[in-house]
Amino acid sequence: MAQSETADKILHAATVLFAERGFTETSLRTITGMADVNLAAVNYHFGSKKALINAVFLRFLTPFAEELNRRLDMLDDDTDVGGMPAVEPLLHCLFSSLLVAVNTVDGEPQRFMRLLGLAYSQSQEHLRHSLLAVYGDTYRRYLKLLHEALPHLDPIAFYWRLYFMLGAAVFTLSSFDSIRGILNADYDADTDLNDALHLMVPALTGMLQTPNEH
Amino acid sequence: MAQSETADKILHAATVLFAERGFTETSLRTITGMADVNLAAVNYHFGSKKALINAVFLRFLTPFAEELNRRLDMLDDDTDVGGMPAVEPLLHCLFSSLLVAVNTVDGEPQRFMRLLGLAYSQSQEHLRHSLLAVYGDTYRRYLKLLHEALPHLDPIAFYWRLYFMLGAAVFTLSSFDSIRGILNADYDADTDLNDALHLMVPALTGMLQTPNEH
DNA sequence: TGTACATCAGTGAACGCGCGTTCACTGATGTAC
DNA sequence: TGTACATCAGTGAACGCGCGTTCACTGATGTAC
């Protein structure tokens, strides 16, 4: 897939338009119009609109998962002698992989953050299944390490904290452009994606490490 | 609006279906089919599909904003003699108002959480404008109090932390049903909405209070 | 070297379908004189 | 008390439109004998 120039142009236009408006709100006619290719080319190269949505995600999640695994390997080597990796390095791993992966494919980094947000909110069951099949191993590996770094949390509390973290990250990064716009207008201060991630790491570390009083 | 039985049935069905599938993915035919009313009744009572979406939000956000204002008044009275309200009571205020409001209108509480999540992710500009016009004052009042309780954060850092909190809350609560399902299956432990909120308050308090090292 | 066939990327036009909205209409209830 | 008119909730059928998908087709390139 995506070996032809036409398929590449479709993937690029679909990425931009899906991130801007969502999946249902973007028609194949708009995509092929922007990509300057024939309407039927989407079904020729990808088979269906659903398959196109899948392909858009695979294109940027594959380098992300590879980068994350590479960094977790490095972290494993570093801590071979003395115990487990800590929370903060684990979060750095995650966000740095995101940044690196997003820069290997074309386009604005925050586009992919928006797509990630959409994947969660628009109930695309087919998408969730296909993503879990491809990236499930990496996901479970990361979860195991993170939980080991948070021994004060029982499994239930850990699971909820994980979702608090996912929510904060996905929501903030997928609204990144609009938050930045508001801050520029109100406080005349510019924050780039890297700044935002550096504000997020200590805040989320603090959240995860807070003791859980019942 | 919503004084007739037909309009009420439409509002109820729309609330259920929008929360399940999103706005674009729910057709007026599905809504009127479930409500057992005539298709044209939506446009007769509400004017358009967009106006129906607005009405669904107004119905549960209005009791929420009223309840929140009432609780903030009480908090103001309590702290009249000694300083400002603290972070944790402010979060309790917010979440308790949500719970109370959601129980005054019919239906499962988590439905409204899902709608809130959708309002953020589906780019419904008309909706955001209309909501800010109606609830802007309450929103700004709450923000001011919360910032006063967090004097260690400069405006920029505060703003980002606010979005981390919003993200964690909206995302978690709108995925509440599926998270609960996973926990039931994997750990055989049931968590209701109240439990989830009580796990959230200390975690988010910890996140907000964490110092921001640069 | 020449011919026949297969493969493949891409195209133009049409398919049927479900969508939100509109419109002329009905029938019940309220109001004015 | 009776009649004429206005208002209002609700209806049935149709409107035009944009959607994802399909299909027969073209033209270029590669392969076999």
Side-chain angles (χ1 to χ4, degrees):
Chain A
M1 218 169 265
Q3 60 272 51
S4 93
E5 198 205 333
T6 303
D8 271 340
K9 289 199 289 187
I10 292 171
L11 269 179
H12 176 75
T15 305
V16 173
L17 292 166
F18 284 155
E20 265 173 21
R21 339 182 168 177
F23 309 122
T24 319
E25 293 81 359
T26 306
S27 73
L28 295 186
R29 278 168 182 79
T30 313
I31 294 171
T32 51
M34 183 183 180
D36 202 28
V37 302
N38 189 278
L39 168 63
V42 172
N43 277 272
Y44 175 74
H45 282 287
F46 298 94
S48 70
K49 190 183 181 181
K50 281 189 178 184
L52 172 61
I53 295 175
N54 265 282
V56 165
F57 277 86
L58 288 178
R59 194 170 62 125
F60 87 92
L61 282 182
T62 298
F64 165 65
E66 281 168 4
E67 181 68 25
L68 181 59
N69 269 315
R70 199 160 28 239
R71 282 169 186 261
L72 291 180
D73 290 343
M74 281 165 55
L75 217 64
D76 266 352
D77 290 347
D78 287 356
T79 54
D80 244 7
V81 249
M84 316 287 189
V87 175
E88 192 145 356
L90 277 170
L91 292 189
H92 256 118
C93 250
L94 189 67
F95 293 131
S96 306
S97 305
L98 212 59
L99 269 184
V100 168
V102 132
N103 287 320
T104 61
V105 277
D106 61 309
E108 302 282 308
Q110 53 266 37
R111 261 211 268 289
F112 300 96
M113 311 294 175
R114 277 201 67 77
L115 287 172
L116 229 44
L118 283 173
Y120 275 105
S121 69
Q122 317 227 158
S123 41
Q124 301 278 340
E125 269 315 306
H126 69 100
L127 185 57
R128 218 165 317 184
H129 273 100
S130 107
L131 295 186
L132 209 64
V134 183
Y135 307 109
D137 285 344
T138 306
Y139 177 69
R140 280 183 290 271
R141 181 186 182 190
Y142 189 82
L143 246 58
K144 187 164 171 289
L145 285 170
L146 189 63
H147 196 181
E148 284 170 357
L150 295 161
H152 65 293
L153 294 176
D154 63 79
I156 309 282
F158 170 72
Y159 213 86
W160 284 100
R161 295 279 173 103
L162 177 71
Y163 274 86
F164 301 159
M165 175 179 111
L166 270 178
V170 168
F171 179 88
T172 311
L173 294 177
S174 79
S175 318
F176 178 76
D177 281 334
S178 76
I179 300 176
R180 178 157 70 166
I182 294 167
L183 286 174
N184 264 311
D186 289 6
Y187 302 104
D188 206 28
D190 197 48
T191 321
D192 67 19
L193 192 60
N194 205 44
D195 295 338
L197 291 176
H198 277 93
L199 285 163
M200 212 150 86
V201 170
L204 292 184
T205 305
M207 189 273 286
L208 290 170
Q209 289 179 334
T210 299
N212 189 27
E213 62 248 60
H214 312 90
Chain B
M1 215 168 266
Q3 61 272 51
S4 95
E5 198 205 333
T6 302
D8 270 341
K9 289 199 290 186
I10 292 171
L11 269 179
H12 175 76
T15 305
V16 174
L17 291 166
F18 284 155
E20 265 173 22
R21 338 179 170 181
F23 309 123
T24 318
E25 295 80 0
T26 306
S27 75
L28 295 186
R29 279 167 182 81
T30 312
I31 294 172
T32 53
M34 182 182 179
D36 203 27
V37 301
N38 188 278
L39 168 63
V42 172
N43 277 273
Y44 176 74
H45 283 286
F46 299 94
S48 69
K49 189 181 181 182
K50 280 190 178 183
L52 172 61
I53 296 175
N54 265 282
V56 165
F57 277 86
L58 288 177
R59 193 170 62 125
F60 88 92
L61 282 182
T62 297
F64 165 64
E66 281 168 4
E67 181 68 26
L68 181 58
N69 269 314
R70 202 163 21 244
R71 283 169 186 261
L72 291 180
D73 290 343
M74 282 166 56
L75 216 64
D76 266 351
D77 290 348
D78 288 356
T79 53
D80 244 6
V81 251
M84 317 286 190
V87 176
E88 193 145 357
L90 278 170
L91 292 188
H92 256 120
C93 250
L94 189 67
F95 293 131
S96 306
S97 304
L98 213 58
L99 270 183
V100 169
V102 133
N103 287 320
T104 60
V105 279
D106 61 309
E108 303 281 310
Q110 54 266 37
R111 262 211 265 289
F112 299 96
M113 310 294 174
R114 277 201 65 76
L115 286 172
L116 230 43
L118 282 173
Y120 275 104
S121 69
Q122 317 227 156
S123 42
Q124 301 276 342
E125 268 315 307
H126 69 101
L127 184 58
R128 218 165 315 184
H129 272 100
S130 107
L131 294 185
L132 207 64
V134 182
Y135 307 109
D137 285 345
T138 307
Y139 178 68
R140 278 182 291 271
R141 180 185 182 191
Y142 190 81
L143 246 57
K144 188 165 170 292
L145 285 169
L146 189 62
H147 195 181
E148 285 169 358
L150 295 161
H152 64 294
L153 294 176
D154 63 78
I156 309 282
F158 170 72
Y159 213 88
W160 285 100
R161 294 278 173 103
L162 175 72
Y163 274 86
F164 301 159
M165 176 180 111
L166 271 178
V170 168
F171 179 89
T172 310
L173 294 177
S174 79
S175 318
F176 177 77
D177 281 334
S178 75
I179 300 176
R180 178 157 71 166
I182 293 168
L183 286 174
N184 265 312
D186 289 5
Y187 301 104
D188 206 30
D190 197 47
T191 321
D192 68 19
L193 193 61
N194 206 45
D195 296 337
L197 291 176
H198 277 94
L199 285 162
M200 213 150 84
V201 170
L204 293 184
T205 305
M207 188 273 286
L208 291 170
Q209 289 179 334
T210 299
N212 189 26
E213 62 248 55
H214 313 88

